[in-house]
Amino acid sequence: MWYVNDNENSIMKNATLHQLRVFVVAAKHLSFTKAAEELFLTQPTVSMQMKQLTKAVGLPLFEQIGKRLYLTQAGQTLYDSCQRIFNELGEFESAIADMKGLKQGQLNLSAVSTTKFFLPRMIGPFCQQYPGVELSLRFTNHEGILQYLNENQDDLYILSQLPSTVDVVSHRILENPLVAIAPAHHPLAKERNIPFERLSKEPFIMREPGSGTRQALEELFHKHETYPQVRLELGSNEAIKQAILGGLGISVLSQHTLTLEKDTGLFAILDVEDLPLQRNWYAIYPSGKQPSVVARAFLEYLEADPQLLKEAEELTIDG
Ligand code: PGA
């Protein structure tokens, strides 16, 4: 028998799903300003929603100590419940979408930042084929993706380094070669078979901690028993490319980052021993998860279309 709690004092009688969504984002960032940015709302709207939710719950959800915002115990409990509620709702939505076939549905993808250079383009034909599918694609670094994966936030995750702590089902999409990049006029650009250790003598521009590229490079330098001379640490491939052009140093990045510079002659790919480092891009999901019809169609699309793969491979540049 169904039972609806219509007790006047029930929290859910007064709180709305929208308020809970706003709360989850505010709790994730521990900032109303950042929540407002992510949700395209104004900061006073977020504050108002949180005020009403706090009233519905009857206990403070956040506390401010100095300049920082923290979750109270009630806030943390609500956050944990919301994670479960939204996961359930996500599963419900995919079940309904499955019942309706591929005419409509939601596909939530998260991908490591380096895939920005090819993934949105690769997705284009899929969206044209299934215009009713709503797609959300967000980018963060490798560590961020692992967090989304642990929290079961998305349908599929696209990365290069397979996680070691979570069992996943993985589908290989493409190669991801890491290459040494310098400005075109760099003295090493003319040399051949440069010993790997030579890279340690150059000022090096490194991705931020948490980046998959950085992790792969640390392992590579470790294997060669040498260290890069890190002159600058930057949180984006685009910024690193600018810094290389600014003469601040060289770097090792995915060859996909040079997709649009293929014919510009701005950069040189150095001929270094042990490079390119051959890695792969994978689409993954946790082993226990049942991918929705839309997610399965997307995986098939990525795997099945040789033309698509050919085009994506061509987007990379020849050494
Ligand atoms: P990153 O990951 O964008 O976090 O560096 C890319 C990779 O693992 O190759």
Side-chain angles (χ1 to χ4, degrees):
M1 185 167 152
W2 291 93
Y3 171 70
V4 178
N5 185 357
D6 59 358
N7 174 346
E8 274 302 311
N9 297 324
S10 151
I11 292 171
M12 292 319 296
K13 186 155 179 122
N14 299 311
T16 66
L17 211 51
H18 176 63
Q19 285 166 355
L20 294 180
R21 279 194 209 286
V22 175
F23 168 73
V24 166
V25 180
K28 183 177 78 180
H29 292 299
L30 291 173
S31 154
F32 288 3
T33 312
K34 286 198 182 132
E37 274 166 25
E38 182 172 328
L39 295 165
F40 301 107
L41 296 172
T42 62
Q43 204 263 359
T45 307
V46 171
S47 297
M48 178 52 73
Q49 296 290 331
M50 292 307 92
K51 208 169 155 190
Q52 286 167 354
L53 184 62
T54 305
K55 201 167 156 217
V57 172
L59 285 174
L61 301 171
F62 294 96
E63 57 196 357
Q64 179 145 11
I65 301 175
K67 285 194 171 150
R68 292 193 59 185
L69 206 58
Y70 295 87
L71 281 176
T72 60
Q73 200 179 347
Q76 187 60 49
T77 309
L78 181 61
Y79 185 64
D80 296 342
S81 300
C82 284
Q83 302 276 23
R84 290 193 294 273
I85 292 168
F86 288 119
N87 277 340
E88 284 284 327
L89 278 178
E91 279 170 25
F92 166 72
E93 278 173 5
S94 356
I96 293 296
D98 287 2
M99 289 173 204
K100 292 179 180 165
L102 273 172
K103 286 202 187 69
Q104 61 194 74
Q106 172 78 31
L107 179 61
N108 294 323
L109 302 176
S110 49
V112 284
S113 46
T114 308
T115 60
K116 272 181 201 165
F117 295 92
F118 67 93
L119 192 59
R121 193 157 163 181
M122 226 172 153
I123 284 172
F126 178 80
C127 294
Q128 276 156 15
Q129 199 175 335
Y130 302 110
V133 169
E134 253 182 63
L135 193 132
S136 138
L137 169 60
R138 53 181 175 169
F139 296 100
T140 179
N141 69 14
H142 181 80
E143 196 171 87
I145 297 291
L146 292 190
Q147 192 185 331
Y148 293 157
L149 177 76
N150 278 326
E151 292 169 359
N152 189 22
Q153 289 206 17
D154 292 304
D155 295 304
L156 299 171
Y157 309 83
I158 301 187
L159 43 60
S160 198
Q161 194 106 352
L162 291 173
S164 53
T165 49
V166 191
D167 274 349
V168 294
V169 178
S170 63
H171 295 247
R172 180 187 171 278
I173 311 176
L174 273 184
E175 286 185 352
N176 174 24
L178 291 191
V179 293
I181 303 173
H185 54 77
H186 194 280
L188 288 179
K190 293 196 204 80
E191 291 190 26
R192 292 287 158 263
N193 295 324
I194 304 165
F196 188 87
E197 293 67 30
R198 179 70 181 79
L199 291 186
S200 315
K201 301 211 165 61
E202 294 292 319
F204 200 88
I205 311 167
M206 187 63 115
R207 282 283 306 274
E208 78 289 0
S211 140
T213 311
R214 178 182 176 128
Q215 201 179 321
L217 281 183
E218 282 174 349
E219 283 165 20
L220 189 64
F221 276 94
H222 184 72
K223 184 182 134 200
H224 285 271
E225 295 177 353
T226 179
Y227 297 97
Q229 267 185 55
V230 179
R231 174 165 192 192
L232 193 59
E233 211 174 80
L234 290 173
S236 91
N237 295 311
E238 292 89 342
I240 292 184
K241 283 162 59 187
Q242 289 291 322
I244 292 174
L245 292 178
L248 293 176
I250 63 167
S251 191
V252 175
L253 297 176
S254 167
Q255 191 165 337
H256 287 281
T257 61
L258 297 182
T259 300
L260 292 180
E261 282 81 12
K262 189 172 176 177
D263 301 316
T264 61
L266 287 170
F267 294 99
I269 293 184
L270 304 180
D271 182 13
V272 180
E273 167 206 6
D274 253 9
L275 291 178
L277 176 66
Q278 291 304 347
R279 301 167 76 224
N280 292 300
W281 294 116
Y282 298 96
I284 66 167
Y285 57 88
S287 292
K289 193 177 176 85
Q290 288 300 323
S292 66
V293 167
V294 181
R296 283 202 300 272
F298 185 67
L299 286 172
E300 279 164 25
Y301 161 82
L302 288 178
E303 281 183 347
D305 190 344
Q307 178 60 24
L308 180 80
L309 294 188
K310 192 169 155 282
E311 279 172 19
E313 299 281 8
E314 276 170 10
L315 289 176
T316 63
I317 64 172
D318 318 317

